[in-house]
Amino acid sequence: MPKILRSNELKDYLFLIIGSLIIALSVVLFFLPNNFTTGGTPGMAILLHHLTGLSISTLVIVINAPLLIWGAKYIGKRFAVKTIVTILFMSLFIKFFGQIFIDLAITQNILLASLFGGVFMGIGVGLIIKGNSSAGGSTIIAIVAKKTSNIKPANVILIIDMLIIICSIFIFKDVEKALWSIISIYATSKAIDIILTGTLTTKVIHITTDNAEELSAAIFDNLEEKGTILRGEGLKNKEEKKVIFLVMDIKKIPRLKEIIEQTDDQAFLLVMEASEILGRGH
C-alpha cells in the first residue's frame, strides 16, 4: 500500500475513534442523566434502554447489526468495515464512560444539556464523517434508500429523527423534553456543518451594474479584492447585463456598500452564505 494511502487510512481511523469517544461522552454526560434523547443510533439506543433496561452499549450493536447485514451490498466494503469499527468503538466507549461517570450529570439544566449534548454529538458525528465512516443506524437506511429509490438521504434521516422524537414523548411521558431534543438535534446539525466546512467568515457577493469596469476598479483600489465579471442577458428585454462576482470577508461588506453607492447607486447587491471554499477563485 502506498505511503500516502496508508497515512490517509490511519487518519480516517483516528477521526472515527475520536468521534466515537465524543459521541459516547455526549450520551453518558448529557442525554442519559437528563432523560431525553437525540437522533440517530444513540437516540434509538437511549429510548430502547428505557424500555428494556438493556445497556446502551449493547443496544448500539443490536440496532446496527441487522442494518449492516441488510445494507452491506449498498454501502461498499470499505465503508462497511469502517462503520463496524465505529460502532464497536462507540459501544465500548459508552460502556466505559458509563461505568466511570455513573449517575454523573455535567448539568441538570435541560437547556444546557440539550445544547452541549447536541454540540458534542455533532462534533463526534462530524469527525466520523471526515473519517469516511458513519455511526450506522439512519445513515445506513438513508444510503440504501438513495441506491434503491429517488428518496433523498437527508429526508430519510429527518423522518427517522422525527419518529425518535415522537416515540420519546410516550416513553419519557414529557412533551417538553421532546422539544428540547429537537433543539439538540439542530445543535448537532450545526456542529456537523462546522466540522465539515469550517467556520467561514466570508460571503459570496453578486453585484449587477451598468458600470462594471469602473466599480471593479474601485473595489480593487479600496478593498484590494479580486473577482470576476460575468456577462449575460436580462430575462425580459434581453438587454446586456454584467455581474461582478466576489468572495470577501464579512468585515469588508459595509465599505463595499459605500463604494457601490458612490460609483453606481442603481447597482443591485446580493450577499450569500459561503458554505465551503476551495482554491483561489480569481
Side-chain angles (χ1 to χ4, degrees):
M1 181 184 291
K3 187 175 181 180
I4 188 167
L5 291 178
R6 191 163 57 245
S7 175
N8 287 338
E9 283 292 302
L10 289 173
K11 186 169 68 174
D12 284 351
Y13 279 99
L14 181 63
F15 277 138
L16 67 85
I17 290 170
I18 295 174
S20 300
L21 185 150
I22 294 172
I23 288 176
L25 286 173
S26 72
V27 170
V28 171
L29 297 179
F30 295 104
F31 293 106
L32 196 55
N34 290 285
N35 288 322
F36 76 111
T37 192
T38 182
T41 302
M44 298 179 208
I46 290 170
L47 293 184
L48 290 173
H49 167 73
H50 281 272
L51 283 175
T52 66
L54 293 172
S55 69
I56 293 178
S57 59
T58 300
L59 287 166
V60 167
I61 296 175
V62 169
I63 291 168
N64 282 292
L67 290 175
L68 279 165
I69 294 170
W70 170 62
K73 69 177 182 178
Y74 297 101
I75 64 178
K77 183 179 178 181
R78 180 172 292 182
F79 189 80
V81 169
K82 287 183 178 178
T83 298
I84 291 170
V85 173
T86 301
I87 292 165
L88 290 175
F89 271 107
M90 192 162 55
S91 177
L92 288 171
F93 284 137
I94 289 174
K95 185 175 183 179
F96 176 72
F97 290 127
Q99 292 174 344
I100 290 180
F101 302 120
I102 186 168
D103 297 326
L104 172 65
I106 292 293
T107 178
Q108 293 182 336
N109 183 308
I110 194 68
L111 171 59
L112 293 176
S114 62
L115 289 176
F116 280 92
V119 168
F120 268 60
M121 184 67 67
I123 292 171
V125 173
L127 289 174
I128 288 170
I129 294 172
K130 282 179 74 72
N132 294 305
S133 181
S134 82
S138 55
T139 304
I140 297 174
I141 299 172
I143 292 172
V144 174
K146 181 183 177 183
K147 298 280 188 179
T148 58
S149 69
N150 294 323
I151 302 174
K152 293 181 179 179
N155 291 340
V156 174
I157 292 171
L158 177 62
I159 291 169
I160 293 172
D161 284 347
M162 288 301 101
L163 287 174
I164 292 171
I165 298 303
I166 292 169
C167 290
S168 75
I169 296 174
F170 299 99
I171 292 172
F172 294 123
K173 296 180 173 57
D174 194 330
V175 175
E176 188 173 294
K177 284 189 175 179
L179 297 177
W180 286 118
S181 295
I182 294 173
I183 291 175
S184 177
I185 290 172
Y186 177 77
T188 296
S189 68
K190 299 305 291 184
I192 292 171
D193 285 343
I194 291 172
I195 291 295
L196 296 180
T197 65
T199 53
L200 296 174
T201 59
T202 52
K203 298 288 184 180
V204 176
I205 312 293
H206 292 88
I207 309 167
T208 304
T209 175
D210 293 328
N211 301 315
E213 285 75 12
E214 182 183 353
L215 183 54
S216 297
I219 292 170
F220 181 76
D221 290 341
N222 289 273
L223 299 176
E224 297 184 350
E225 290 286 347
K226 295 179 181 179
T228 303
I229 297 178
L230 308 176
R231 290 174 170 80
E233 292 182 344
L235 188 63
K236 183 178 180 181
N237 299 320
K238 303 297 181 181
E239 69 274 21
E240 183 182 354
K241 294 285 186 179
K242 292 183 180 179
V243 179
I244 300 173
F245 174 83
L246 300 162
V247 177
M248 67 168 55
D249 192 285
I250 192 171
K251 296 176 183 178
K252 295 183 178 182
I253 291 179
R255 178 58 182 144
L256 174 65
K257 291 179 179 178
E258 293 178 2
I259 295 169
I260 293 172
E261 290 176 358
Q262 294 168 2
T263 308
D264 182 5
D265 59 4
Q266 299 300 310
F268 174 76
L269 170 68
L270 176 64
V271 181
M272 303 171 61
E273 294 289 340
S275 62
E276 186 170 0
I277 294 174
L278 177 66
R280 295 179 62 84
H282 299 332

